[in-house]
Amino acid sequence: MDLNIVMAFVLGLLLLYLVGRVMVVPIKLIVKLIVNGIVGGLVLWVVNYFGAFLNLHIPLNPVTALTAGFLGIPGIVLLIVIQQIIVK
């Protein structure tokens, strides 16, 4: 085999690996944001539903939705803590 053919083959495999790697990382980030958004929205709904018995209500607006969506459950905890600090 010619050395140039082997080098071209190795370079092609390396390039294919790098392109695949660059495409997979953003997909993982998008999937993580979607999962956080769904979990945050569900937990926000549960907090508002059961929080009615405890006089706890987090209004649904763009700021609370984005906080719950990006941060997930820690975002909901943050919103509850901020609301308790502001109310009291």
Side-chain angles (χ1 to χ4, degrees), residues 48-76:
N48 282 335
Y49 185 76
F50 291 111
F53 302 113
L54 302 172
N55 242 357
L56 177 67
H57 175 74
I58 299 173
L60 187 59
N61 57 42
V63 174
T64 59
L66 286 173
T67 303
F70 281 124
L71 299 176
I73 295 175
I76 301 296

Side-chain angles (χ1 to χ4, degrees), residues 67 75-88:
T67 303
I76 301 296
V77 172
L78 175 71
L79 290 170
I80 292 171
V81 168
I82 288 173
Q83 184 184 28
Q84 294 302 315
I85 289 173
I86 289 174
V87 170
K88 293 184 181 192

Side-chain angles (χ1 to χ4, degrees), residues 3 10 32 46 50 59 68 87:
L3 185 62
V10 170
K32 183 178 179 182
V46 168
F50 291 111
V87 170

Side-chain angles (χ1 to χ4, degrees), residues 9-76:
F9 181 73
V10 170
L11 185 65
L13 284 177
L14 181 65
L15 186 63
L16 184 63
Y17 171 77
L18 290 174
V19 168
R21 186 86 169 149
V22 166
M23 295 177 101
V24 167
V25 170
I27 292 173
K28 286 182 182 179
L29 181 65
I30 290 170
V31 168
K32 183 178 179 182
L33 286 175
I34 289 172
V35 168
N36 271 350
I38 291 170
V39 169
L42 288 174
V43 172
L44 186 62
W45 178 78
V46 168
V47 166
N48 282 335
Y49 185 76
F50 291 111
F53 302 113
L54 302 172
N55 242 357
L56 177 67
H57 175 74
I58 299 173
L60 187 59
N61 57 42
V63 174
T64 59
L66 286 173
T67 303
F70 281 124
L71 299 176
I73 295 175
I76 301 296

